[in-house]
Amino acid sequence: MPSVKTIRTVFWEDGAVVLLDQRALPLVERAVICRDYRQVVAAIKDLTVRGAPAIGVAAALGIALGARSLTASTPAEFRAAFATICQQFAASRPTARNLFWAIERMRACCDGALAALPAHPTPPSPGRDPFAHLREVLVAEAVRIGEEDVAANCRLGQAGCGLIPAGARILTHCNAGALATAGYGTALGVIRAAAAEGKVLRVYADETRPVLQGARLTAWELLREGIPCTLITDNMAGYLMKKGEVDLVIVGADRIAANGDTANKIGTYGLAVLARAHKIPFYVAAPLSTIDPSLPDGGAIPIEERASAEVTHLGGTRTAPEGVDVWNPAFDVTPHELISAIITEAGVIRPPFAAGIERACAPSSLCGRSPIP
Ligand code: MRU
């Protein structure tokens, strides 16, 4: 599948974490090369890398980068320094489950490898690094997390493709594409798979105020791919549905609770209400690493609030009066009652979601690990 390879959002190369700078798109295509894990933390905070799965992969690679240079002479020292690195990633953005899932996986990998080492490596000779192998194991685990994300997206793309009718006119919100993942995308993964089968007539991309992920990123991805795309502002979606121009809505997710309530980019909830009012199916596409079965419902999902400048300014130019009060939640929660199906790499989960999510998140599965303390 060529599109998996062509957009490389986040990857490991020559001992560094490489990020496609999403702040600069679509005007400039440039990479940010991170040689210090703190650069990766900063890149997650400032949206150089964004989108729940991409944030998780960036954190995993960043943690591996940090582990390569941390200094320790005993396993206990290594574990403590490693935990400090993990905490900095955990504090970078609060909503995407994939971030915490990836941190937990890196920590489990580290703990497992440390347990195999003697408590006091001997002799601590100068020039010999007792943790050299462990550091490389962590890099390999982080790279694997990225590869698994692409594979999961390709699988969920195929699973979701069956839901797309021929000649579909699809509305999407934010960017849940290759840029938001390690490759291929979730909502756009389903659209890519359906487009490959000739089913997609047109994708309507919501602009997605205030950060414009739809206008800047989704439109860019779809144009590159040759998938017909029409950009609309967020407040046009209702009228478009009323005119009978939308057959289905499909979005990604940042965190899905055990009952199917779904946090995604601000504006998603409004779209789900509109879709219900117009009797249009509303689908969520996400890998299992986005599911947080420790939360019974969406009420407990932490919702990030971002800087007021995202609302008061457009492209660096002030559009609102100085001193105005601003509320800027980056995400909202769509209640499970408004969701027609959740598409994962384990298949399509239909309502009632609790049972399907529990099955998908069985202990051997990818979700369902305990939250970071
Ligand atoms: O603030 P962002 O750009 O990180 O928000 C991204 C979204 O809300 C996406 O829709 C979500 O992460 C799904 S990405 C596959």
Side-chain angles (χ1 to χ4, degrees), residues 47-364:
L47 308 185
T48 300
V49 59
R50 38 64 52 199
I55 292 170
V57 174
L61 292 172
I63 289 168
L65 186 64
R68 277 187 122 204
S69 57
L70 69 79
T71 47
S73 47
T74 65
E77 281 177 24
F78 192 100
R79 187 176 288 110
F82 187 81
T84 303
I85 294 168
C86 289
Q87 275 154 12
Q88 290 171 64
F89 280 97
S92 61
R93 290 190 76 186
T95 304
R97 169 64 184 155
N98 311 62
L99 170 66
F100 302 94
W101 171 86
I103 295 170
E104 288 154 17
R105 199 163 136 177
M106 291 300 288
R107 198 170 51 175
C109 174
C110 182
D111 284 348
L114 279 174
L117 290 176
H120 297 283
T122 49
S125 54
R128 189 189 155 271
D129 174 16
F131 303 109
H133 179 64
L134 167 57
R135 298 183 209 272
E136 292 318 306
V137 165
L138 289 166
V139 172
E141 178 74 346
V143 169
R144 197 173 308 119
I145 287 172
E147 289 167 354
E148 287 175 9
D149 182 61
V150 180
N153 294 334
C154 291
R155 281 204 302 279
L156 77 82
Q158 284 306 317
C161 190
L163 298 171
I164 311 296
R169 296 155 307 167
I170 304 171
L171 178 63
T172 190
H173 190 66
C174 194
N175 172 267
L179 291 168
T181 63
Y184 201 66
T186 56
L188 289 196
V190 174
I191 290 171
R192 281 194 161 89
E197 292 191 6
K199 290 175 162 183
V200 177
L201 188 63
R202 179 149 301 274
V203 177
Y204 289 100
D206 268 357
E207 176 188 41
T208 318
R209 274 285 284 154
V211 179
L212 306 181
Q213 289 94 333
R216 295 188 301 105
L217 308 176
T218 297
W220 180 80
E221 272 197 44
L222 292 173
L223 283 183
R224 266 175 80 112
E225 202 91 359
I227 298 174
C229 166
T230 300
L231 178 64
I232 61 170
T233 63
D234 302 335
N235 50 1
M236 295 171 187
Y239 185 45
L240 191 69
M241 290 183 192
K242 174 85 175 151
K243 283 170 68 68
E245 297 294 322
V246 179
D247 298 305
L248 62 110
V249 179
I250 182 162
V251 296
D254 288 85
R255 197 184 290 231
I256 301 174
N259 69 345
D261 290 354
T262 294
N264 191 49
K265 181 50 58 191
I266 190 74
T268 302
Y269 169 52
L271 273 187
V273 172
L274 282 170
R276 176 58 53 92
H278 292 89
K279 301 188 171 42
I280 295 167
F282 183 91
Y283 299 122
V284 170
L288 295 175
S289 51
T290 304
I291 298 178
D292 185 348
S294 73
L295 301 183
D297 59 54
I301 298 177
I303 299 295
E304 177 182 13
E305 294 198 16
R306 294 188 63 85
S308 58
E310 288 182 354
V311 176
T312 55
H313 290 66
L314 247 183
T317 303
R318 176 173 277 283
T319 54
E322 293 268 8
V324 69
D325 265 352
V326 170
W327 182 50
N328 185 20
F331 304 97
D332 58 28
V333 177
T334 299
H336 63 91
E337 297 90 345
L338 296 177
I339 299 170
S340 310
I342 299 173
I343 304 160
T344 75
E345 71 270 38
V348 175
I349 305 175
R350 300 263 187 195
F353 292 116
I357 286 177
E358 198 178 334
R359 259 195 311 278
C361 290
S364 63

